[in-house]
Amino acid sequence: MSKLTISTINLANLTGDATLSVDCAITGRTSEKITIADGVNVTLDEVTINNQIVCQGDATIYLKGTNKVTSTTSDKAGIEVGPTETTLTINGDADGSIEVKGGGYGAGIGSGQDYSIIGNISINGGIITATGGENGAGIGSGDENSSCGNITITGGTVNAIGGGQGAGIGSGNNNSSCGDITITGG
């Protein structure tokens, strides 16, 4: 039986924005936007991204080591979840962590601002610290008529801080909304 090998991408080698279209691990630092294609599983291993991660559809992010994503894009989430009916799943080692900050009026993990509509968020493990931009949720929707689907937390350690009048976990300010929030562990 052959062993499946997952490629590792060093973000320091990027010369522009990148789309991850196959399962992989990423490491290193970048100021480029990272897009995860629909159905792709990505391991973050000692990553620093001074931009954002954008999910095009269903995606799984696995946390290994210490990671940081800081959106420098106005009104965008640090990690932007895919469209309605898709799910971002976050898993991680016991010591795998991520610190995520939304830019402008975006959520830390979730949607951006101004009618940004996204899917579901599922957290099963890892240590997650998510901070929303001004009036954005830490985990959920951004400001100004934005929305997210359901948020489910079954494990891990979650620290969620809303920006301004945004919720820690839930919706941002100014007519923003989110689906059901279910916390059963962690």
Side-chain angles (χ1 to χ4, degrees):
M1 187 193 285
S2 63
K3 182 178 178 184
L4 177 65
T5 302
I6 300 213
S7 63
T8 299
I9 299 167
N10 186 337
L11 298 177
N13 296 328
L14 296 179
T15 57
D17 294 346
T19 298
L20 308 176
S21 56
V22 296
D23 293 357
C24 62
I26 59 176
T27 189
R29 302 174 63 92
T30 189
S31 294
E32 307 297 342
K33 179 170 77 172
I34 304 300
T35 300
I36 301 174
D38 184 32
V40 172
N41 303 306
V42 175
T43 297
L44 304 184
D45 186 0
E46 299 292 332
V47 164
T48 299
I49 299 172
N50 291 311
N51 201 311
Q52 68 174 156
I53 295 176
V54 176
C55 303
Q56 291 181 327
D58 290 318
T60 299
I61 294 176
Y62 188 85
L63 304 175
K64 186 175 178 184
T66 302
N67 302 281
K68 186 173 185 179
V69 177
T70 303
S71 177
T72 56
T73 306
S74 179
D75 307 333
K76 299 292 185 184
I79 298 178
E80 185 175 305
V81 177
T84 304
E85 304 300 323
T86 67
T87 300
L88 166 64
T89 302
I90 300 175
N91 299 314
D93 288 346
D95 61 349
S97 68
I98 190 165
E99 179 182 333
V100 184
K101 292 184 181 178
Y105 294 84
I109 300 171
S111 71
Q113 182 192 19
D114 288 333
Y115 298 94
S116 177
I117 301 170
I118 59 147
N120 306 306
I121 302 166
S122 177
I123 298 173
N124 304 313
I127 303 165
I128 294 101
T129 301
T131 305
E134 185 61 33
N135 291 336
I139 299 172
S141 60
D143 193 27
E144 289 287 336
N145 300 297
S146 298
S147 68
C148 73
N150 299 325
I151 300 169
T152 304
I153 300 171
T154 62
T157 300
V158 177
N159 302 296
I161 303 112
Q165 295 183 38
I169 300 173
S171 62
N173 195 27
N174 295 319
N175 298 313
S176 292
S177 64
C178 89
D180 295 336
I181 301 169
T182 304
I183 301 173
T184 58

